[in-house]
Amino acid sequence: MTIITRFAPSPTGYLHIGSARTALFSWLYARANGGKFLLRVEDTDRERSTQPAIDAIFSSMKWLGMDWDGEAIMQFARANRHAEVAHQMVAAGKAYPCYTSAEELAAFRAANQHAKYRSPWREGGTPPAGAKPVIRLKAPLTGETIVEDKVKGRVSVQNAEMDDMVLLRSDNTPTYMLAVVVDDHDMGVTDVIRGDDHFTNTFRQLQIYDAMGWIAPNFCHIPMILGADGAKLSKRHGALGVGEYEKMGFLPEAICNYLLRLGWSHGDDEVISQQQAIEWFNLDHLSASPARFDMDKLKSVNAHYIRTMDEKKLAAMLNFPAGMENRVQSMLPHLKERADTLVELAASAAFLFAQQNPDEKALTALSEIGKGHIKALLPKLEATNWAAADLETCIKAYITESGAKFPVVGMPVRAALTGTTNAPAVHEIMVALGKTETIARLKAVL
Ligand code: GLU
């Protein structure tokens, strides 16, 4: 049997990093098993669904490298099909029109806080003239509904605990429960992998499968992601939209690798490429307890991908001005060792293209003493062959001769050339900038 998974986001906001992990697990499970991965946009909440959120789902999925099979399904467009199934259930005696008015229901709830509402219309009756009913499931009153969940195991709920859920509203629109089940069934979904905030819905959804005589998919509810402090993940912890991570300079490969390890493991492996993940992924090594989001960890994974990325590809991401290829090529091996994100990398490379205003530490380094060393070093540099080893020897000779400690000379030079004091070795910087530019910058600070 072909494995068919799906990702079913509601386009009511940005594609959250936690949802991206859910998508990743579903995508990997399909790809690992030669199955299909389908995308369904659950846009039935017409007030909260927006086009920018729909666009963000598509673009974030593409950016993360999660391709889906076939066209994405738009759930709202299937409303007639959902209604059709509800009416089919009525015809089969599995559901019934309920004419309880909103006022009657509110009065019941006010009087019976936690009790299940049992509609008198379950037993039939003569409909009030002109009233538009909702359609409710005629749920079993006895027995139990059992979920065999891949992560949570076997969990059962007494049917007496569940009321007759509404399937179709009086305006003929489906409820979430009905739409999800009909769509998963029609799309042939074999494995539903989703966040465990949907776990309790599964019992209700199984009642719909049973009523229709449909075979239910396998369920796998993955624990939520918590913040580093153990509280529910929020913006404060870095629970941003996928697009935000792109803006912050994260690589999609790093995000996927990090998200994969957040709730799934393969021995002690931390760095797992997408190809490797497709080979290894299964549902057996999912953690049953919530994972904690750790921004520092994500950064260190990102730093790894920056360091190991093809340098030409990395250079292209810097979007540098024309004619600067040589400078980038000679400095990138040094800069990429120090950057956690592409934004940091770009910031650290800015000095290659133009002399930067000195930051606070650089200003301190460019004291009168610092400038004095630059002045004394200048003619020696001008007379030196412009190669890393020669420049290093020249600077060392000056340090020995002047009796100054290395930083006392190196810092002001670095500050003049880069505007910061935290940059690669000065002789490497000099080679990257070239003789004319180096001398010009040193003179400029004097
Ligand atoms: N649309 C639901 C959500 O975004 C997911 C429904 C499901 O996976 O069954 O939370």
Side-chain angles (χ1 to χ4, degrees):
M1 189 175 72
T2 308
I3 287 194
I4 301 180
T5 66
R6 50 59 159 190
F7 175 49
S10 304
T12 52
Y14 50 72
L15 184 69
H16 182 276
I17 194 83
S19 307
R21 187 190 61 158
T22 304
L24 179 67
F25 287 176
S26 297
W27 180 81
L28 279 174
Y29 191 57
R31 295 290 172 256
N33 290 286
K36 283 193 182 148
F37 171 71
L38 309 178
L39 179 59
R40 180 172 76 231
V41 177
E42 301 209 317
D43 56 346
T44 38
D45 184 339
R46 301 313 283 167
E47 300 212 326
R48 292 174 61 228
S49 299
T50 67
Q51 192 57 44
I54 295 174
D55 296 342
I57 290 170
F58 293 145
S59 62
S60 297
M61 292 292 288
K62 284 183 192 153
W63 183 68
L64 290 169
M66 288 187 245
D67 54 335
W68 57 92
D69 295 296
E71 290 284 316
I73 304 282
M74 305 303 286
Q75 188 165 62
F76 182 67
R78 293 177 40 81
N80 286 342
R81 166 67 179 151
H82 303 141
E84 176 188 82
V85 170
H87 291 297
Q88 230 174 303
M89 279 197 259
V90 175
K94 301 286 184 182
Y96 60 93
C98 167
Y99 294 88
T100 305
S101 69
E103 294 75 31
E104 285 170 322
L105 202 54
F108 173 83
R109 297 241 187 277
N112 311 270
Q113 283 199 345
H114 299 295
K116 303 291 155 219
Y117 178 68
R118 291 281 169 219
S119 168
W121 295 98
R122 188 180 160 106
E123 310 310 330
T126 314
K132 285 197 171 152
V134 300
I135 291 182
R136 286 183 187 272
L137 181 76
K138 202 178 231 174
L141 298 172
T142 56
E144 53 185 12
T145 298
I146 297 166
V147 176
E148 298 275 4
D149 189 81
K150 192 75 191 156
V151 174
K152 297 183 181 297
R154 182 189 167 94
V155 184
S156 67
V157 166
Q158 294 300 317
N159 288 330
E161 299 290 315
M162 289 189 273
D163 58 9
D164 289 349
M165 81 185 104
V166 175
L167 301 170
L168 204 63
R169 300 187 191 94
S170 56
D171 63 0
N172 232 23
T173 59
T175 56
Y176 158 73
M177 295 297 174
L178 177 66
V180 167
V181 171
V182 173
D183 290 349
D184 281 340
H185 169 265
D186 289 2
M187 289 160 71
V189 172
T190 59
D191 292 82
V192 169
I193 301 170
R194 61 186 172 192
D196 69 2
D197 47 334
H198 286 289
F199 184 62
T200 51
N201 292 337
T202 312
F203 297 93
R204 292 179 168 279
Q205 292 173 7
L206 279 175
Q207 289 190 331
I208 301 177
Y209 281 102
D210 284 348
M212 284 304 290
W214 290 340
I215 294 172
N218 301 317
F219 288 100
C220 178
H221 287 90
I222 49 182
M224 61 199 304
I225 304 175
L226 301 178
D229 55 3
K232 190 172 181 283
L233 190 62
S234 69
K235 271 195 170 177
R236 179 169 61 86
H237 299 105
L240 306 167
V242 170
E244 296 296 317
Y245 288 89
E246 184 178 1
K247 281 192 209 130
M248 286 190 286
F250 286 94
L251 293 168
E253 297 86 346
I255 300 269
C256 286
N257 189 151
Y258 178 70
L259 290 179
L260 174 63
R261 287 288 296 103
L262 211 53
W264 184 81
S265 56
H266 183 270
D268 291 332
D269 292 305
E270 288 293 347
V271 174
I272 306 174
S273 70
Q274 202 163 71
Q275 202 42 50
Q276 195 67 80
I278 290 174
E279 267 175 52
W280 286 342
F281 191 77
N282 55 36
L283 300 178
D284 300 328
H285 294 104
L286 285 169
S287 163
S289 45
R292 290 191 184 205
F293 187 84
D294 181 344
M295 195 65 166
D296 291 333
K297 187 77 193 289
L298 171 58
K299 279 188 183 168
S300 78
V301 174
N302 202 50
H304 169 86
Y305 278 87
I306 288 179
R307 279 198 305 274
T308 52
M309 190 171 182
D310 176 72
E311 261 175 35
K312 279 219 175 75
K313 235 169 118 182
L314 191 59
M317 290 183 161
L318 288 179
N319 247 334
F320 56 85
M324 295 287 172
E325 290 75 13
N326 289 344
R327 291 189 190 179
V328 171
Q329 214 175 47
S330 74
M331 238 332 76
L332 200 54
H334 305 285
L335 295 179
K336 71 177 190 180
E337 294 297 324
R338 315 164 149 253
D340 284 345
T341 65
L342 293 177
V343 170
E344 279 179 31
L345 185 69
S348 74
F351 79 87
L352 290 173
F353 318 128
Q355 188 155 18
Q356 304 291 302
N357 287 328
D359 64 20
E360 215 172 301
K361 281 188 182 160
L363 263 183
T364 312
L366 288 167
S367 63
E368 285 314 309
I369 296 175
K371 283 184 187 167
H373 286 301
I374 291 177
K375 204 170 180 176
L377 182 60
L378 251 173
K380 297 179 190 297
L381 289 173
E382 283 187 289
T384 303
N385 177 38
W386 215 259
D390 298 305
L391 288 163
E392 192 179 11
T393 309
C394 168
I395 297 165
K396 279 191 176 152
Y398 171 74
I399 285 167
T400 313
E401 175 196 315
S402 67
K405 289 227 163 64
F406 182 82
V408 180
V409 178
M411 281 301 176
V413 173
R414 188 178 276 126
L417 298 181
T418 69
T420 74
T421 50
N422 175 24
V426 280
H427 55 277
E428 303 284 3
I429 296 170
M430 288 175 175
V431 172
L433 290 176
K435 183 168 184 175
T436 315
E437 181 70 15
T438 302
I439 301 296
R441 287 190 188 185
L442 293 175
K443 285 188 173 159
V445 296
L446 297 179

